[in-house]
Amino acid sequence: MERILRGIMRYRNTTREQMVKEFQKVRDNPEPKAVFFTCMDSRMIPTRYTDTHVGDMFVVRNAGNLIPHAQHFQDEYFSCEPAALELGCVVNDIRHIIVCGHSDCKAMNLLYQLRDPEFASKLNRRLSPLRSWLCTHANTSLERFQEWYAAGMKDPLLFSSETPLRRFVAYIDLEHRFALEDKLSQINTLQQMSNIASYGFLKARLESHDLHIHALWFDIYTGDIYYFSRGAKRFVAVDESSVEQLSAEVRRFYS
């Protein structure tokens, strides 16, 4: 805690004045461009690796960058994630939702272990809020991973996105550069796009192409950021060779 306090003092003496100016600039007319869901992992600093600033994004973080499917809420949406979707996309009229997973995700590593029925038993879930969270809200991701793994990990997966009719094909790590847990993380990230679209209060905007859902994936070991390209049907590293093509895809499909 002392390190945090010392950090606050450095902030007061260095960047505070500039940040206050930025706060004043957006105070009366903030125009955030995205709702950004990512993991609570301490290594994930989304404003740094997207070079965004005060007022640019709503950021929502939890274990495993999960957005629970609407089917889990029969009477009320009693969870932070759907509340954040409403606050961002309905109250603040934000047009883009981004889900960002990452490599060596501790939540995804645990989800991979939950393939063991004993480890995932109800008794063990009662002892672990994290296991319960993953078993409840990431089980679909795990099931899709297991089916894909059993089939040889070569066939593409089919996901729905903004609407049931707007489906996309996804090839997962055909070059086999990543660990199995990281492949699961990528599948989980794409599954959240379908989960987001399950909420009725977003339906009209999604169907009218006024609201769009994207997926990013961050490799913490190399610092590379991958964007899921529906045109390429895979996660593509955002770099000097791809950024113009990816930008053109975004303008073509999501403008």
Side-chain angles (χ1 to χ4, degrees):
M1 189 62 207
E2 183 178 358
R3 181 176 180 181
I4 299 297
L5 295 174
R6 298 296 181 189
I8 292 171
M9 292 307 301
R10 287 193 296 273
Y11 150 76
R12 286 178 59 82
N13 295 320
T14 55
T15 60
R16 175 190 178 191
E17 184 176 348
Q18 178 60 37
M19 287 192 69
V20 169
K21 290 178 181 178
E22 293 184 32
F23 290 144
Q24 292 173 339
K25 184 177 180 180
V26 302
R27 178 181 60 189
D28 298 324
N29 190 33
E31 294 183 353
K33 299 300 188 292
V35 179
F36 195 99
F37 288 94
T38 193
C39 187
M40 63 187 289
D41 192 298
S42 61
R43 298 166 294 182
M44 297 290 283
I45 312 176
T47 53
R48 185 174 298 180
Y49 60 72
T50 61
D51 193 28
T52 47
H53 303 282
V54 170
D56 286 344
M57 298 192 304
F58 283 17
V59 180
V60 186
R61 304 179 66 156
N62 63 32
N65 45 269
L66 303 179
I67 299 93
H69 194 282
Q71 68 185 5
H72 293 291
F73 309 109
Q74 296 182 359
D75 299 317
E76 294 181 89
Y77 297 136
F78 52 91
S79 177
C80 168
E81 294 76 24
L85 286 170
E86 182 182 7
L87 181 61
C89 302
V90 178
V91 177
N92 285 272
D93 198 32
I94 292 173
R95 296 188 60 208
H96 295 273
I97 304 169
I98 302 167
V99 184
C100 183
H102 68 100
S103 63
D104 190 36
C105 177
K106 298 302 185 277
M108 291 298 103
N109 294 348
L110 179 59
L111 180 63
Y112 184 79
Q113 295 178 46
L114 289 169
R115 295 172 302 136
D116 178 3
E118 176 61 26
F119 191 65
S121 68
K122 184 172 291 187
L123 176 61
N124 282 331
R125 296 204 304 271
R126 286 173 176 166
L127 298 174
S128 168
L130 179 56
R131 288 187 213 178
S132 180
W133 164 255
L134 293 171
C135 286
T136 302
H137 299 302
N139 191 54
T140 300
S141 300
L142 183 58
E143 288 178 347
R144 301 210 66 185
F145 168 82
Q146 289 181 292
E147 292 173 1
W148 173 77
Y149 178 83
M153 300 189 294
K154 294 181 180 180
D155 295 334
L157 291 165
L158 186 65
F159 293 90
S160 62
S161 55
E162 286 81 2
T163 72
L165 296 178
R166 290 186 68 182
R167 296 187 173 188
F168 63 89
V169 169
Y171 289 91
I172 305 297
D173 188 24
L174 289 175
E175 298 83 6
H176 298 295
R177 290 176 293 182
F178 301 111
L180 288 173
E181 293 87 344
D182 292 340
K183 299 176 196 289
L184 172 58
S185 173
Q186 292 188 351
I187 291 172
N188 177 71
T189 301
L190 297 176
Q191 179 59 41
Q192 304 318 301
M193 299 171 73
S194 302
N195 291 357
I196 290 168
S198 68
Y199 288 95
F201 60 84
L202 300 178
K203 186 172 185 291
R205 290 194 66 193
L206 290 168
E207 289 181 344
S208 64
H209 304 279
D210 189 44
L211 181 61
H212 310 288
I213 310 173
H214 311 266
L216 293 175
W217 197 77
F218 180 48
D219 185 354
I220 64 168
Y221 295 117
T222 65
D224 289 329
I225 312 291
Y226 294 80
Y227 176 76
F228 184 80
S229 165
R230 301 191 197 187
K233 302 180 176 60
R234 61 186 179 90
F235 281 100
V236 176
V238 182
D239 57 24
E240 292 76 10
S241 66
S242 66
V243 66
E244 293 304 327
Q245 184 175 349
L246 292 174
S247 295
E249 178 178 325
V250 169
R251 290 193 298 269
R252 185 167 63 253
F253 290 111
Y254 307 111
S255 60

